[in-house]
Amino acid sequence: MAQSFKDAIKEKIAQTLKENLKADESEFVNPWSNLDKAAILQQSRCFGETPIDSEQCLNLLTRVLYVLQQGEKFTESELTGLFFGVTKLFQTQSTRLRRMVYLVI
């Protein structure tokens, strides 16, 4: 009797955990799921602006890294333009931005 009660409790806990995990998964929405390579390339013009907006550039570099990690393919000319745009960011005084530049390059 005690064993069956123990098994019933274990089963109930397992059932509850599964339901909670399903609820957590259904609530999660990836904020980066709708990124467009063309939009990122167009926004990369901010790398050449004066003065450099560190926060805007950090956000854009984060998006670039995400898109690259997801396996998005860039053409050679797109990569060249992006590379030279990013190298302009070495001028910034922001250490956070310079660290991100090293990650991208």
Side-chain angles (χ1 to χ4, degrees):
M1 175 130 174
Q3 185 65 25
S4 64
F5 182 68
K6 211 177 199 182
D7 291 339
I9 290 177
K10 284 182 182 179
E11 187 176 318
K12 184 68 174 174
I13 290 173
Q15 179 80 15
T16 304
L17 285 174
K18 285 181 185 177
E19 289 173 5
N20 285 342
L21 286 175
K22 286 180 184 176
D24 288 345
E25 289 175 3
S26 65
E27 293 173 8
F28 177 74
V29 176
N30 186 353
W32 304 99
S33 63
N34 60 352
L35 287 180
D36 180 27
K37 178 178 78 167
I40 290 173
L41 290 171
Q42 186 175 8
Q43 292 173 358
S44 69
R45 295 179 187 158
C46 75
F47 298 152
E49 292 177 356
T50 304
I52 295 172
D53 184 353
S54 296
E55 287 302 315
Q56 182 183 8
C57 292
L58 276 168
N59 289 332
L60 186 57
L61 288 175
T62 304
R63 287 186 232 144
V64 168
L65 286 174
Y66 178 80
V67 168
L68 287 172
Q69 180 63 32
Q70 295 304 309
E72 185 75 39
K73 301 294 181 195
F74 287 84
T75 66
E76 190 173 325
S77 63
E78 291 170 340
L79 283 174
T80 302
L82 195 59
F83 174 79
F84 285 111
V86 169
T87 56
K88 293 177 185 177
L89 299 177
F90 278 119
Q91 304 172 37
T92 186
Q93 298 299 315
S94 169
T95 54
R96 289 178 56 214
L97 184 54
R98 274 189 271 136
R99 287 178 189 156
M100 187 64 87
V101 168
Y102 285 119
L103 282 175
V104 171
I105 292 177

